[in-house]
Amino acid sequence: MRIDKRRLEQSIEELGRIGQTPRGGLTRLALSDEDKRGRDWMVSRMREAGLAVTVDQMGNIFGRRAGDSALPPVMMGSHVDSVPTGGRYDGQLGVLCGLEVIRSLDDAKIRTRHPVTLAIFTNEEGARFQPAMIASGVMAGKIALEDAYNTRDKDGIRLVDELERIGYLGAEPCVARPFRAYLELHIEQGPFLEEEGLSVGVVEGIVAIAWSRLTIHGVQDHAGPTPMRIRHDALVAAAEVVGGVRRIAREMGGDLVTTVGNLVVAPNIVNAIPGRITLSIDMRDPQDATLDRARAKLEAIVREACEREGVPYELEHYWRVPYTPFDRDVVDTVERAARAAGARYRRIRSGAGHDAQYMAAIGPAGMVFVPSRDGRSHCEEEFTPIDDIEQGATTLLRAALDLAGRA
Ligand SMILES: [Zn+2]
């Protein structure tokens, strides 16, 4: 059993044209006109493949291939939204390989006991509406539907209004639905598979993630007449925090990664002492306990930096996801499938969040990784060789068939 590499390559090319950037990347923000066109293209392909397509209250799309209707489906899914000037593999590959699996089952005239469902989740990236993975979060009961609906983008537009505008405000309740297993193929977004010359990662789980927001209140003043001894500069304190956040990971070592990715300076002009700073802190590790220790270090660094500069601050720890282990049987099934597909593979952990994380909270889930060239993603240079994609998609096919069972 193998998938059709040429056909899959062609789908990647076709979907990749919707929202394509001049340099071959992708800008298809959630619920934008491009997202609507990407969704429409997918729905047409799903209907052509004979799937029964439904849309839920969060705009999640499900296409079901028939099996024994009394049995829960094997679900394969990912997302078709992207970050601004992102790549054409993140998310896209998961839904296109899922589609290719269904087409391959049809080609081989295989009927399965469990139905097989292809799922496309809304706003996985969180680039337009926060938080990320909002729609699988609602489905898993972790985010209230009303809160998700009222989330606004930077222009103040509500998520629910955009769902309605693009015609994807569905009627099906967005609630936990039973599934035999959830499988998500995704690019690794890190360097390990490529460094080791491997085609497939059998994903064991997703690291724990903690997000914090720091606001520092300095005293805004003129950059000329204000002597150094009376200054309270918010950016000077922030600079110490940025260095300190890097130091946390260096000192604690292991798999811990720490990032300050967003810094907003007010008033952000040449001749004024910065009066107010907000900055983000993102920390990730496979061990929840490590994140607890990292958080304690962060609090000490912030306190000391702000005391030294004499500036008050607020530090909020506003989002935390624990380590998500995937279902042992599903992981073993994926590993068997990778071996049977003849793929060079290893077990691996995901450093990025995925819809599979929320799906794992409501049923048995697992993931298949394929390599990212130079480990890069969320950029136009994002690339995975088609031969690796073929190995990954064949692994997905074999795992899905194993879990769904032949009728
Ligand atoms: Zn993704």
Side-chain angles (χ1 to χ4, degrees), residues 276-355:
R276 183 189 159 96
I277 302 283
T278 57
L279 64 85
S280 65
I281 301 111
D282 175 314
M283 303 198 289
R284 304 178 187 218
D285 191 87
Q287 308 281 334
D288 292 292
T290 307
L291 283 191
D292 291 336
R293 285 191 289 128
R295 178 187 284 189
K297 281 180 182 283
L298 171 66
E299 286 170 352
I301 285 165
V302 170
R303 189 172 56 242
E304 284 160 24
C306 290
E307 269 173 19
R308 242 189 309 277
E309 192 60 23
V311 287
Y313 67 92
E314 293 112 40
L315 178 60
E316 304 159 76
H317 305 298
Y318 68 99
W319 193 57
R320 177 89 185 241
V321 194
Y323 176 69
T324 307
F326 286 136
D327 181 84
R328 189 175 299 173
D329 289 337
V330 174
V331 175
D332 288 345
T333 304
V334 171
E335 181 161 13
R336 273 198 311 276
R339 202 179 305 130
R344 296 175 313 282
Y345 71 91
R346 64 167 268 192
R347 289 190 172 223
I348 195 168
R349 274 185 302 247
S350 175
H354 299 288
D355 292 308

Side-chain angles (χ1 to χ4, degrees), residues 79 90-91 124-125 186 354:
H79 58 96
D90 181 351
E124 190 276 342
E125 293 292 3
H186 205 280
H354 299 288

Side-chain angles (χ1 to χ4, degrees), residues 48-108:
E48 279 168 16
L51 304 184
V53 178
T54 54
V55 179
D56 77 9
Q57 295 165 304
M58 279 299 292
N60 296 322
I61 303 168
F62 302 94
R64 173 183 282 237
R65 183 178 189 266
D68 180 343
S69 57
L71 296 175
V74 169
M75 250 195 229
M76 300 175 292
S78 203
H79 58 96
V80 297
D81 65 320
S82 83
V83 299
T85 55
R88 55 157 64 172
Y89 297 85
D90 181 351
Q92 321 297 317
L93 215 49
V95 297
L96 292 174
C97 290
L99 175 67
E100 180 54 38
V101 165
I102 283 166
R103 288 167 161 179
S104 300
L105 291 174
D106 290 345
D107 289 351

Side-chain angles (χ1 to χ4, degrees), residues 3 7 24 164 170 194 206 241 295 337:
I3 56 92
R7 179 172 57 193
E164 189 162 29
E194 187 188 57
I206 299 183
V241 172
R295 178 187 284 189

